[in-house]
Amino acid sequence: MLRTHTCGELTAEHVGQEVTLCGWVDTCRDHSGVLFVDLRDRHGRTQIVFGAEGGPESRELARSLRSEFVLAVTGKVAPRPEGTVNPKLRTGEIEVRVTRVEVLNPSLTPPFQPSQRELPGEDLRLKYRYLDLRRPDMQRTLLLRHRMIAIMRDYFDALGFIDVETPILGRSTPEGARDYLVPSRIQQGTFYALPQSPQLYKQILMIAGYDRYVQIARCFRDEDLRADRQPEFTQLDLEMAFVEMDDVMGVIDGLVVRLAKEILGLDVKLPLPRMTYDEAMERFGHDAPDLRFGMELVDLTDLARDCEFRVFRDAAQGGGRVRALNAKGAAERYSRKGIDELTAFVQNDFGAKGLIWFKVDADGKLASPTAKNVAPDILAAIGRRMDAAPGDLLLIVADQFEITCKALYGLRKRLGTELKLFDPRQVHFSWVVEFPMFAWDDEENGWSAMHHPFTSPRKQDREMLKTDPGACRAQAYDLIVNGYEAGGGTIRIHNQPLQQDVFRLLGIDDETAKNRFGFLLDALQYGAPPHGGIALGIDRLVMIFGGLSNIRDCIAFPKTQRATDVMTGAPGEVDAKQLRELGIQITR
RNA sequence: GGGGACGUAGCUCAAUUGGUUAGAGUACUGGACUGUCGAUCCAGUGGUUGCGGGUUCGAGUCCCGUCGUCCUCGCCA
């Protein structure tokens, strides 16, 4: 080792020892006769002093030191003189009086300094990611990520789970997200697909008898990016045989309790709150509601049905819904212009026809330009149902059910943030269960799987597969944290005829099924045990636990929104020779 | 694919809404200083205002296109 200690560990008890530290020059403070350098590594910072001890040569050398030079310094640990202790530094009680210094490597002047206050633009941070990763914030996050993964590995090992690796080069499957494809050289014209998840492999492992599987698995989905979505991401993937929903959820409950305790010092009470998909859509308009605050949706459809106000009546009588939320005490906060912005928001982002609003005046009456169109008794009834109090702002959307969900979910999320309705440090866990098996796809004019095609319906819903697929509920469960879907799982289908029925319902004919999933259909006939599992999004969990609003900040080398890596330049062009070997011609 | 924000010195930002020579902090360079720790003080270097076109007597500012970063809708079994 080139060093005896790290830059974060020397304290008063080391005084008198001769030590050697290695690290980067964080800052220099030159006082002519004495020169201070803060030496930084990922463990901390230590003040090193170039004074009389090192002689004039080392002081001369010290004068030439610049930001981010890499040094090895040797000297005695000394207590800092009276009054110069730095309480902000873990090593602030001591300093190292340098007797020997070696520049292990100089540095160009960095485009930004890891210790600088203002965060540089993200493109620059990503281009010089090695400098960005030197920042203590990034180091804290990556350490957090490491600790969370270490806890997961330990937890599942103790429960008897076996870590099995599954292929990255797989085959493309229909449905789901767009695949990342890898061309085959040996069989030109054919392609591997990078896994969207190890779903089928882990089911095969259950059939193979490895009744508790776990993997930290990299997954790939070629879809557009978001603040909480990367094209390649990491899942904690697990599967269990001979289980029911509660068994899988119970395992995750235990993990959540442990992570919350060990990482955040929080005592999470079990059982976690649990609601059905239908309930979540009714109360919050979304299947991953943020339960850190209330402001639940209120249904006004029955009141609107016979209302003379056409916007209400048309929606209610036309099969749509009239739903609302009450932003308590927010009437002052949103001016006419502010409400116009909210209106434009629900129109542009969610396709709502409009936004109806009332401010509750001092008498408790609903006031707005719309009020004259609605009979006073209905206004009063709306006010009662919405628990309206003076100063409240009532926001109402009259539209198709799906639109009211999206628009009011969007409003609730936005207002929750703008009105600071929750403590951003809070972490709230819950389950949403019993998702529909299928969603009607207008484009495809058919049913599509809400979760994935291997999801088992509830036992009591099996008959409805043929009669009313839309009413079928799945043995599915999503872990929700602060309004993010942190994970999702299901009990899988383990018998072949049922699997085939579901494929048919999804419009996957027998031949296609055999072609794409033949191995699974075969395997199901060789003694497949009942099984189920779940996958948690590790990046998202780290993001939430780290109090970050952006998934890139908890990934060492993330992609930009256009799915590029600005440091390496990926994706990049390849040689003509490589393309020839693959039998690929660029037509663009 | 749609909507929006941003792009000015190495970095973070400003520029009185179209008006003289584009500024500040920081970084950088040189100097001063024996106890600093966001060191301080003095001096200095540093600009294709992302790129291309247009309008105008005049464009960082307005218009069109384009590139890039971010947010978002669609998309994400």
Side-chain angles (χ1 to χ4, degrees):
Chain A
M1 289 294 284
L2 299 180
R3 64 184 179 194
T4 60
H5 295 76
T6 69
C7 295
E9 64 178 308
L10 295 176
T11 61
E13 64 186 65
H14 297 90
V15 165
Q17 293 185 23
E18 170 155 296
V19 299
T20 301
L21 300 179
C22 293
W24 288 262
V25 173
D26 198 59
T27 51
C28 295
R29 293 176 294 279
D30 184 355
H31 288 253
S32 181
V34 59
L35 189 150
F36 304 95
V37 169
D38 285 346
L39 199 64
R40 162 176 44 75
D41 63 18
R42 77 174 174 90
H43 306 276
R45 271 188 306 161
T46 302
Q47 172 161 288
I48 59 180
V49 186
F50 294 84
E53 293 87 343
E57 285 156 42
S58 84
R59 230 174 27 240
E60 211 38 54
L61 179 75
R63 207 149 277 149
S64 70
L65 296 177
R66 294 293 179 269
S67 286
E68 302 308 309
F69 276 32
V70 189
L71 307 183
V73 298
T74 301
K76 271 220 169 65
V77 180
R80 292 200 184 184
E82 191 76 29
T84 65
V85 165
N86 185 350
K88 284 189 256 176
L89 231 50
R90 221 176 327 145
T91 61
E93 285 181 81
I94 56 89
E95 60 195 19
V96 174
R97 302 267 169 84
V98 176
T99 50
R100 205 174 69 238
V101 59
E102 183 187 356
V103 176
L104 298 174
N105 216 341
S107 169
L108 296 175
T109 300
F112 62 89
Q113 307 214 297
S115 55
Q116 82 182 41
R117 291 197 151 207
E118 309 117 333
L119 205 56
E122 200 169 349
D123 33 356
L124 201 72
R125 289 175 54 204
L126 291 174
K127 179 171 179 191
Y128 297 94
R129 193 59 161 173
Y130 38 89
L131 298 179
D132 191 43
L133 291 174
R134 284 181 196 164
R135 291 172 41 238
D137 276 352
M138 285 306 304
Q139 292 175 336
R140 245 195 310 281
T141 304
L142 290 189
L143 183 68
L144 169 74
R145 186 178 178 119
H146 160 77
R147 284 171 57 216
M148 290 177 70
I149 289 176
I151 289 170
M152 292 173 189
R153 290 213 152 101
D154 179 63
Y155 177 80
F156 287 105
D157 179 55
L159 289 180
F161 282 76
I162 306 173
D163 192 320
V164 181
E165 290 174 87
T166 53
I168 294 295
L169 298 176
R171 91 163 279 174
S172 179
T173 53
E175 298 207 51
R178 194 175 294 112
D179 283 320
Y180 275 102
L181 298 177
V182 179
S184 163
R185 173 183 59 82
I186 293 172
Q187 299 184 57
Q188 291 193 354
T190 65
F191 296 84
Y192 302 96
L194 305 184
Q196 295 180 28
S197 83
Q199 182 59 36
L200 292 171
Y201 294 111
K202 67 177 176 175
Q203 289 191 238
I204 296 290
L205 284 170
M206 292 305 104
I207 296 170
Y210 294 79
D211 53 19
R212 291 189 157 198
Y213 144 91
V214 70
Q215 184 182 192
I216 310 285
R218 195 67 65 86
C219 304
F220 306 86
R221 294 176 191 177
D222 187 5
E223 297 292 347
D224 285 353
L225 285 76
R226 284 287 189 287
D228 63 347
R229 262 169 29 195
Q230 280 276 301
E232 81 180 283
F233 59 101
T234 307
Q235 285 190 342
L236 171 75
D237 190 50
L238 66 92
E239 194 78 5
M240 305 165 74
F242 311 115
V243 291
E244 296 176 312
M245 278 176 56
D246 284 334
D247 300 309
V248 180
M249 293 162 81
V251 164
I252 297 301
D253 284 344
L255 176 67
V256 162
V257 166
R258 205 173 139 185
L259 283 172
K261 183 69 187 174
E262 292 185 28
I263 301 289
L264 303 170
L266 289 178
D267 288 305
V268 170
K269 296 269 181 301
L270 293 180
L272 299 181
R274 199 184 280 203
M275 73 176 84
T276 65
Y277 170 89
D278 290 331
E279 188 184 350
M281 297 306 283
E282 277 303 324
R283 290 173 58 191
F284 302 98
H286 195 256
D287 61 2
D290 190 340
L291 300 184
R292 288 176 297 179
F293 62 101
M295 204 159 79
E296 298 191 13
L297 311 193
V298 179
D299 186 48
L300 305 174
T301 311
D302 58 317
L303 297 175
R305 189 159 288 127
D306 301 315
C307 179
E308 54 283 7
F309 182 39
R310 229 182 56 206
V311 172
F312 279 3
R313 198 180 60 223
D314 287 356
Q317 294 183 358
R321 297 275 290 272
V322 178
R323 301 166 83 200
L325 58 77
N326 181 352
K328 296 297 264 178
E332 288 291 315
R333 168 72 196 271
Y334 291 92
S335 63
R336 190 62 186 272
K337 194 177 157 208
I339 293 173
D340 285 348
E341 280 172 18
L342 295 179
T343 305
F345 172 60
V346 297
Q347 288 173 328
N348 296 335
D349 277 12
F350 308 108
K353 289 195 219 39
L355 182 66
I356 298 128
W357 58 272
F358 299 105
K359 288 183 175 176
V360 184
D361 66 20
D363 300 329
K365 291 222 165 64
L366 309 196
S368 87
T370 316
K372 63 179 185 298
N373 299 317
V374 183
D377 61 317
I378 293 186
L379 282 180
I382 291 173
R384 274 196 305 278
R385 183 167 301 174
M386 297 189 67
D387 192 26
D392 289 356
L393 173 64
L394 311 184
L395 298 170
I396 306 177
V397 177
D399 224 306
Q400 295 305 306
F401 177 66
E402 291 75 18
I403 304 248
T404 63
C405 283
K406 287 179 179 175
L408 289 165
Y409 162 74
L411 280 174
R412 180 174 178 271
K413 192 168 162 180
R414 176 168 172 166
L415 295 177
T417 305
E418 288 182 0
L419 299 170
K420 298 191 170 62
L421 297 182
F422 55 88
D423 175 355
R425 288 163 307 180
Q426 194 188 348
V427 182
H428 185 285
F429 303 89
S430 68
W431 289 105
V432 171
V433 299
E434 290 180 17
F435 285 71
M437 280 287 288
F438 310 102
W440 184 258
D441 187 337
D442 279 330
E443 267 177 48
E444 302 285 330
N445 195 34
W447 296 104
S448 65
M450 190 97 170
H451 197 86
H452 59 53
F454 319 107
T455 300
S456 177
R458 296 192 307 178
K459 285 192 183 94
Q460 63 267 39
D461 292 353
R462 223 171 268 180
E463 289 310 308
M464 285 195 300
L465 274 183
K466 300 206 165 74
T467 56
D468 189 2
C472 265
R473 289 296 178 267
Q475 299 190 54
Y477 30 90
D478 276 7
L479 179 69
I480 311 302
V481 187
N482 292 2
Y484 290 97
E485 179 195 330
T490 64
I491 299 299
R492 328 296 183 187
I493 295 169
H494 67 276
N495 76 65
Q496 199 261 9
L498 180 58
Q499 183 65 74
Q500 212 150 24
D501 283 349
V502 170
F503 279 155
R504 283 180 194 141
L505 212 127
L506 293 171
I508 305 173
D509 61 62
D510 288 1
E511 176 151 351
T512 306
K514 199 176 154 193
N515 215 353
R516 303 286 179 107
F517 303 115
F519 68 99
L520 177 70
L521 292 172
D522 286 347
L524 288 174
Q525 297 177 86
Y526 287 96
H531 63 284
I534 192 169
L536 304 188
I538 288 185
D539 314 277
R540 275 187 197 168
L541 277 178
V542 175
M543 174 176 90
I544 295 162
F545 274 60
L548 308 168
S549 53
N550 176 332
I551 203 168
R552 294 180 298 277
D553 281 345
C554 64
I555 297 173
F557 303 103
K559 302 282 190 288
T560 67
Q561 195 170 43
R562 289 180 64 252
T564 63
D565 178 338
V566 289
M567 186 179 73
T568 65
E573 294 183 352
V574 297
D575 294 340
K577 178 168 177 256
Q578 289 174 289
L579 290 176
R580 269 199 308 279
E581 285 177 338
L582 296 165
I584 287 180
Q585 193 178 8
I586 307 291
T587 57
R588 161 180 56 79

